């Protein structure tokens, strides 16, 4: 209801000004903390020399970012460049067999990188789950898949399998879990889609071609088997208008984002500061709020860059891969909160939507979310922090439905209908602003630590009340209203134009 009401232009300017000033204010606090405490002993391991000519050290606390753009950069570029070249050649020469070439090149790259024992382990997973898929029982595919996934996430089975992978490559342990985890999820998708196949079964070759597509193999995203199989075996390969221009633009955009993140890591130590709780206790409320928010934004940027680079290669292969996640700044409902759209699509198709159906029934929705987060917990690796993260996000998703159900009943629905769209939107914006910070706090505990999340919550809700609490809520409210206005404009653009009635006055005259 609220999305249909347009914001007055002066409100847009006001919200933009308030939000911009608040971000600059919080950023200045983080910059001051980064500059004043750069030589702290607690920072020694995670703040390293960076731009010597500017005299700035760099935040290197995120090993994943450092791995992708330093240690593993050359390996990624070499492997993906080879994939693009081979894919392009065989797409022109033999388009009917391009899915086979994708699988063969990916299998050889994995074999050369990780060795025979790792390849044998992956093939054993594929063989077991393929055999189960032939039975065409969904519950059996799920049981076998989750049991296999547990074998690489729970002790002592994961350590035993990891010990089989030997070699001198420094990143084998990281690639081990990525390749095995995504392989099992892809095999489960294959098995579940095979259950839906009416005539016969998909072949083991289809599974291997799907699994060993190199751009998706180690780091995702996951494309469900039905989508990949249809797109990889499509021989009618055409480009949409300006598609290559869009691909080039996105590639340059990702390069620009990488450089911007590098700049920020030199001036704002958003990852290192939250690890030093002695320093955190001395920071202002605005600095803590900015750190919590910026950590989630950075995690989104990291996912967007990684999946964006991979998706660029996949698009060159005439695939339509899962898109990067929605920016945390644009989120004010739990239903859209995800940092891996591939995993999210997989969970929605096979668990959440399958059990929850239309997501309007409270108890069915509760069962659907519990099952979804149970699978997610196993995927992330069961531990106390993951349990806590899953519980809070599962609760948030259900609480949204409970509140929506409550306010759809009289007298709340009657009151909202009488107050008009503009006022309804403003009231909803207040609740959405509070929900935004619930999303931030529930997710920052998995990105940083439980202690940091508790500190932010205590300072913004208890010790900072009412000044810090209400001022942060006001700024968030401004941001939510701007996001709602953007969504309203996009909805208007996507609405089909009304069909004009045919003027048959001339015919009647005749």
């Amino acid at each position: 209801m609220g999305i249909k009401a347009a914001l007055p232009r002066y409100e847009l300017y006001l919200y933009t000004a308030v939000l911009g000033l608040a971000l600059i204010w919080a950023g200045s606090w983080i910059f001051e903390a980064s500059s004043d405490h750069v030589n702290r002993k607690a920072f020694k391991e995670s703040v390293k020399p960076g731009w010597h000519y500017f005299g700035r050290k760099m935040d290197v606390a995120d090993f994943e970012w450092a791995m992708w753009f330093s240690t593993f950069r050359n390996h990624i570029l070499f492997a993906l460049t080879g994939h693009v070249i081979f894919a392009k050649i065989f797409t022109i020469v033999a388009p009917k067999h391009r899915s086979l070439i994708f699988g063969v090149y990916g299998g050889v790259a994995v074999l050369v990188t990780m060795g025979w024992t790792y390849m044998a382990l992956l093939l054993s997973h594929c063989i077991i789950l393929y055999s189960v898929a032939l039975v065409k029982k969904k519950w059996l595919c799920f049981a076998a898949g989750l049991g296999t996934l547990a074998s690489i996430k729970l002790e002592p089975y994961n350590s035993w399998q990891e010990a089989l992978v030997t070699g001198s490559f420094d990143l084998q342990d990281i690639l081990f879990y990525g390749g095995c985890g995504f392989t099992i999820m892809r095999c489960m998708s294959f098995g579940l889609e095979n259950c839906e196949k009416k005539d016969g079964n998909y072949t083991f070759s289809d599974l291997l071609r799907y699994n060993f597509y190199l751009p998706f193999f180690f780091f995702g995203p996951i494309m469900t088997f039905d989508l990949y199989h249809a797109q990889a075996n499509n021989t009618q390969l055409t480009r949409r208008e300006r598609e290559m221009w869009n691909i080039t633009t996105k590639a340059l955009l990702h390069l620009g984002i990488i450089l911007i993140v590098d700049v920020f890591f030199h001036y704002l130590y958003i990852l290192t500061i939250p690890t030093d709780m002695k320093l955190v206790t001395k920071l202002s409320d605005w600095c803590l709020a900015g750190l919590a928010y910026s950590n989630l934004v950075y995690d989104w940027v990291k996912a967007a860059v990684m999946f964006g680079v991979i998706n660029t290669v996949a698009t060159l292969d005439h695939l339509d891969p899962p898109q990067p996640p929605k920016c945390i700044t644009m989120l004010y409902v739990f239903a859209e909160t995800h940092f891996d759209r591939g995993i999210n699509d997989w969970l929605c198709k096979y668990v959440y939507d399958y059990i929850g159906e239309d997501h309007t029934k409270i108890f069915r929705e509760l069962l659907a979310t519990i099952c979804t987060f149970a699978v997610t917990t196993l995927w992330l690796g069961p531990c106390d922090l993951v349990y806590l993260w899953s519980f809070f996000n599962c609760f948030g998703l259900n609480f949204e439905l409970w509140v929506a159900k409550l306010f759809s009943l009289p007298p709340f629905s009657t009151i909202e209908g009488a107050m008009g769209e503009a006022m309804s939107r403003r009231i909803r914006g207040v609740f959405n602003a509070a929900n935004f910070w619930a999303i931030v706090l529930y997710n920052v505990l998995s990105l940083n630590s439980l202690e940091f999340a508790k500190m932010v919550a205590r300072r913004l809700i208890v010790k900072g009340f009412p000044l810090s609490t209400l001022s942060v809520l006001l700024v968030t409210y401004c941001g939510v209203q701007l996001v709602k206005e953007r969504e309203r404009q996009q909805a208007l653009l996507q609405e089909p134009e009304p069909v004009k009635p045919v003027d048959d006055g001339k015919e009647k005259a005749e």
Side-chain angles (χ1 to χ4, degrees):
M1 181 177 178
I3 198 171
K4 295 180 181 178
L7 278 174
R9 189 172 296 275
Y10 74 88
E11 280 195 39
L12 282 174
Y13 293 151
L14 178 62
Y15 293 154
T16 304
V18 171
L19 184 62
L21 290 174
L23 290 175
I24 294 173
W25 179 251
S28 67
W29 279 102
I30 299 174
F31 174 75
E32 182 178 352
S34 301
S35 300
D36 293 347
H37 302 282
V38 64
N39 294 318
R40 286 178 67 89
K41 290 183 179 180
F43 287 14
K44 187 176 181 180
E45 295 297 324
S46 55
V47 177
K48 301 291 185 180
W51 293 338
H52 296 284
Y53 38 87
F54 282 117
R56 296 292 303 187
K57 292 185 177 181
M58 181 180 180
D59 189 342
V60 294
D62 188 353
F63 79 95
E64 282 188 307
W65 187 270
M67 176 188 74
W68 293 333
F69 299 109
S70 58
T71 311
F72 200 38
R73 178 186 57 206
N74 295 333
H75 299 281
I76 291 176
L77 291 176
F78 180 77
L80 290 183
T81 300
H83 170 87
V84 170
I85 294 173
F86 276 94
K88 186 62 177 178
I89 293 174
F90 283 94
T91 296
I92 297 173
V93 175
K96 292 183 179 180
H97 303 291
R98 67 193 191 100
S99 65
L100 175 62
I101 300 304
F102 292 163
V104 169
Y105 179 85
V108 172
V110 173
L111 178 63
V112 172
T113 303
M114 301 295 288
W116 283 103
T117 52
Y118 184 73
M119 179 62 75
L121 182 64
L122 289 178
L123 291 177
S124 68
H125 289 162
C126 292
I127 292 171
I128 291 172
L129 295 177
Y130 176 76
S131 301
V132 174
L134 297 179
V135 182
K136 289 200 170 185
K137 299 289 184 181
K138 286 187 176 182
W139 69 268
L140 193 59
C141 291
F142 256 110
L146 294 179
T148 309
L149 186 61
S151 72
I152 65 166
K153 297 293 183 179
L154 300 176
E155 291 287 357
Y157 312 105
N158 60 336
S159 297
W160 176 77
Q161 291 186 71
E162 186 179 356
L164 295 175
V165 182
T166 57
S168 58
F169 187 35
D170 294 336
L171 299 172
Q172 276 197 341
D173 57 336
I174 298 171
L175 299 182
F176 166 82
Y177 287 105
C180 285
F182 282 111
T183 291
I184 294 168
M185 298 294 275
R186 284 188 287 262
C187 287
M188 289 179 69
S189 176
F190 174 88
L192 293 169
E193 295 300 331
N194 192 64
C195 294
E196 296 290 338
K197 186 175 173 60
K198 303 297 183 182
D199 303 322
N201 299 285
Y202 292 109
T203 66
F204 188 62
S205 174
D206 291 329
L207 174 58
L208 295 182
R209 297 180 190 191
Y210 167 54
N211 183 59
F212 286 101
Y213 179 67
L214 186 63
F216 295 165
F217 183 80
F218 286 113
F219 302 118
I222 290 179
M223 277 184 74
T224 55
F225 175 76
D226 57 329
L227 295 178
Y228 180 84
H229 184 71
Q231 294 176 22
N233 290 284
N234 178 28
T235 57
Q236 304 298 321
L237 304 177
T238 58
R239 295 285 184 192
R240 294 186 295 271
E241 186 180 356
R242 295 178 63 84
E243 184 175 0
M244 288 305 300
W245 170 259
N246 293 333
I247 292 174
T248 305
T249 303
K250 288 181 179 179
L252 294 175
L253 177 63
H254 295 139
L255 179 60
I257 293 175
I258 293 170
L259 295 176
I260 291 173
V261 170
D262 194 71
V263 172
F264 270 85
F265 275 171
H266 280 81
Y267 290 94
L268 304 176
Y269 302 153
I270 59 173
L271 303 179
T272 295
I273 292 176
T275 63
D276 187 354
M277 292 307 298
K278 289 184 178 180
L279 173 60
V280 168
T281 56
K282 301 176 183 178
L283 301 178
S284 68
D285 296 346
W286 274 97
C287 188
L288 288 182
L291 284 170
Y293 166 74
S294 58
N295 268 259
L296 261 73
V297 171
Y298 164 69
D299 198 63
W300 167 79
V301 168
K302 182 171 66 173
V305 169
M306 182 185 74
F307 293 134
V309 171
I310 291 172
N311 286 355
T312 299
V313 177
T315 306
L316 288 172
D317 293 335
H318 297 272
L319 299 181
D320 185 18
Q323 295 304 304
K326 191 174 182 179
C327 179
I328 182 64
T329 307
M330 310 294 288
L331 297 177
Y332 53 84
V333 292
F334 278 90
E336 297 181 352
T337 306
H338 49 264
F339 292 90
D340 184 336
R341 201 179 292 270
I343 291 292
N344 182 75
D345 292 345
W346 191 101
L347 290 170
C348 285
K349 180 172 185 177
Y350 299 124
V351 184
Y352 184 57
D353 292 339
Y354 181 78
I355 299 174
E357 294 180 347
D358 57 356
H359 305 294
T360 57
K361 299 176 182 178
I362 290 178
F363 291 106
R364 182 173 284 275
E365 177 74 359
L366 180 61
L367 178 62
T369 52
I370 290 174
C371 292
T372 300
F373 279 101
V375 176
T376 305
T377 299
L378 181 60
W379 165 254
L380 294 175
C383 65
D384 292 342
L385 198 61
V386 174
Y387 295 145
L388 196 61
W389 174 87
S390 295
F391 171 79
F392 279 121
N393 281 275
C394 184
F395 169 77
L397 197 58
N398 282 278
F399 187 71
E400 284 181 346
L401 177 62
W402 302 338
V403 172
K405 284 284 187 183
L406 177 63
F407 280 87
S408 66
L409 301 173
F412 300 108
S413 59
T414 306
I415 295 173
E416 184 177 17
M419 71 175 56
E421 290 185 347
M423 183 56 66
S424 171
R425 171 176 175 149
R426 293 186 180 100
I427 293 175
R428 285 173 178 259
V430 174
F431 286 99
N432 293 146
N435 208 40
F436 176 87
W437 275 101
I439 293 173
V440 171
L441 293 175
Y442 291 171
N443 286 278
V444 79
L445 64 88
S446 65
L447 297 178
N448 293 111
S449 65
L450 178 59
E451 291 74 17
F452 178 69
K454 288 166 61 177
M455 173 65 70
V456 175
R458 186 163 55 248
R459 291 282 290 274
L460 293 184
I461 300 173
V462 181
K463 290 186 176 181
F465 187 83
L467 183 59
S468 296
T469 305
L470 296 180
S471 58
V472 170
L473 193 63
L474 173 63
V475 171
T476 309
Y477 169 84
C478 295
V480 167
Q481 291 292 11
L482 291 173
V483 172
K484 281 178 171 287
E485 177 62 18
R486 180 176 181 273
E487 291 175 346
R488 185 193 70 84
Q489 293 176 358
Q490 288 180 335
L492 291 175
L493 292 174
Q494 294 172 359
E495 284 184 1
E497 295 183 2
V499 179
K500 296 181 180 180
V502 178
D503 186 5
D504 57 352
K506 183 178 180 181
E507 295 179 3
K508 290 180 179 179
E510 293 175 351

